Amino acid sequence: MSRLLAALVIACASRAYAAETGYVVKFESGTIYLDLAADSGAAPGRRFLVYTEGEELKHPVTGKSLGKVEQRVAEGEVREVAPQYSIGALLSGVAAAGQRVRWLEAAKAPAAATAPAALPASGQANGPHRPVWRSPLAKLEAVDLDVADLLGDGKREIVLADANRVQAFGEEAAAGRAWEPMCSFESHETGLRFLSLEAADLNGDGRAEVFATYHNDFFDRVETVVLECRQGRFEKTATLPWMVRGAYDGLGHRALVAQPLMPDKSFPFGGIFPLKFEGGKYELGSPAIRAKRLEWIYSFARTGATEGAPEAVFYDTSDRLRVQFDRGSWQSPENLGQSSNRVRWHERALRFSPRLPTVASTGGFQGLYAVRNYPRRCRSCAGRDRRWRPSGRPTRTATCRESPRSTLRAPPCTPPW
């Protein structure tokens, strides 16, 4: 019995030691995949180091090997753990498949199990409807937002866009001060209006870029400007002749995709391609993203190639979720994803709908979240030549229009297959 226990102790010690290191499986669009799973110590929030091994060091007197020189390449943090691998994001540096990985800190001991506290009644100050975090007010009317690490310091910033500005804010305002932007970009081009934005570290420098898609009514074109937050302001690093949007896959991961618009009133949609950064510039990747009846980048989600499931879920022209099977299709019974962000493009009305985040489990795709915007009519509008500002004072510059309010469908919609 004692020999068996000793063997088990040795086996566990050897396993724990081996689990401290691993390899980079893949690095793509700022997302890194490691061959370290839960049994190797992987856990959300755990920091890791990516490195390469250099020359072997030997003791000058004894000649004993002291190991190999460790050359640091990047640092990152685990975000998700799968049964046989983990997914993380780099906080600094750039990684490549085949490089070594080790943990930067010891695994945290599991907390002692305690009985969950009883939830207070709904509506109380600390009840289940209380937000986890709420920002101060920002002085803009947002058309889109995203959250990413813009400075490479491991902290997340909130990026907002209104009609002609893109601004980034820290998660907290200084005590006693207003919530002021830490980086700002304002366009003074005639007829320009921002439609959407995404933030992701596509160039692999450890800092997320902002991809802001806009419509220029004067030149009648839709493009995307790439911005980087540097020394307190956004600098424009590139202008792309495509729309850029984040699309989720069946595992809940988001990747950037791009699509050009054609000056054709019958079929204005170009192909949808993954967006990549290669050779110092942004390019359309391959292969093209195809699914039956999918033609518009705003917005869709990929469900994965599981048996009996469709390849994609997307909004159709009537603002309903559409699922296209090999034979037949399914539509949501209610309108979802309505947006006042629209563009008239060669006699066609294009809707720039919200994203479709997916929900996954160990079995793959489980469902998705969809936003439903409820229109709220103006009240006491005196005439059709007025609209209401947030202050409630009417101006005589536009027609009375609806002010939308939004809700998030939760729990996620259950797929019909």
Side-chain angles (χ1 to χ4, degrees), residues 357-394:
T358 57
V359 180
S361 67
T362 54
F365 175 77
Q366 295 295 308
L368 52 84
Y369 287 96
V371 173
R372 182 178 183 183
N373 288 316
Y374 294 89
R376 185 175 59 197
R377 299 283 181 180
C378 298
R379 293 185 178 181
S380 303
C381 263
R384 285 188 167 273
D385 62 339
R386 298 186 179 187
R387 68 176 179 179
W388 289 94
R389 291 179 174 175
S391 62
R393 296 181 179 179

Side-chain angles (χ1 to χ4, degrees), residues 76-101:
E77 183 179 86
V78 174
R79 300 291 170 85
E80 299 179 48
V81 180
Q84 297 185 24
Y85 62 94
S86 57
I87 306 168
L90 291 187
L91 305 178
S92 64
V94 179
Q99 292 176 336
R100 300 297 301 270
V101 180

Side-chain angles (χ1 to χ4, degrees), residues 246-270:
Y248 288 80
D249 63 14
L251 296 177
H253 306 145
R254 183 175 62 165
L256 297 188
V257 295
Q259 180 183 36
L261 270 180
M262 308 299 183
D264 186 339
K265 64 180 180 180
S266 300
F267 192 79
F269 307 114

Side-chain angles (χ1 to χ4, degrees), residues 83-261:
Q84 297 185 24
Y85 62 94
S86 57
I87 306 168
L90 291 187
L91 305 178
S92 64
V94 179
Q99 292 176 336
R100 300 297 301 270
V101 180
R102 68 171 175 83
W103 302 120
L104 279 173
E105 54 192 15
K108 297 180 180 179
T114 57
L119 289 174
S122 175
Q124 293 184 6
N126 57 348
H129 296 293
R130 183 183 180 184
V132 176
W133 175 84
R134 177 176 297 190
S135 75
L137 291 175
K139 299 177 181 178
L140 51 77
E141 183 181 350
V143 298
D144 206 353
L145 68 87
D146 206 350
V147 179
D149 181 5
L150 302 182
L151 304 180
D153 57 1
K155 299 179 181 180
R156 299 179 303 174
E157 284 76 44
I158 300 163
V159 190
L160 298 169
D162 66 3
N164 62 349
R165 290 179 297 172
V166 176
Q167 295 184 334
F169 300 83
E171 286 192 344
E172 294 184 3
R177 296 185 181 179
W179 204 39
E180 297 295 339
M182 52 181 289
C183 273
S184 185
F185 174 84
E186 184 171 357
S187 174
H188 299 285
E189 294 184 27
T190 302
L192 185 143
R193 177 166 60 98
F194 285 113
L195 302 169
S196 67
L197 66 80
E198 301 287 339
D201 181 17
L202 209 60
N203 60 17
D205 66 352
R207 301 180 304 170
E209 310 102 86
V210 175
F211 300 82
T213 298
Y214 64 87
H215 174 238
N216 190 312
D217 186 60
F218 186 78
F219 292 104
D220 198 20
R221 64 191 183 199
V222 176
E223 299 175 324
T224 297
V225 61
V226 184
L227 307 171
E228 292 194 19
C229 185
R230 297 174 180 172
Q231 298 179 349
R233 64 188 182 92
F234 274 121
E235 292 185 8
K236 183 168 66 173
T237 60
T239 300
L240 311 179
W242 323 296
M243 302 168 291
V244 174
R245 195 57 166 163
Y248 288 80
D249 63 14
L251 296 177
H253 306 145
R254 183 175 62 165
L256 297 188
V257 295
Q259 180 183 36
L261 270 180

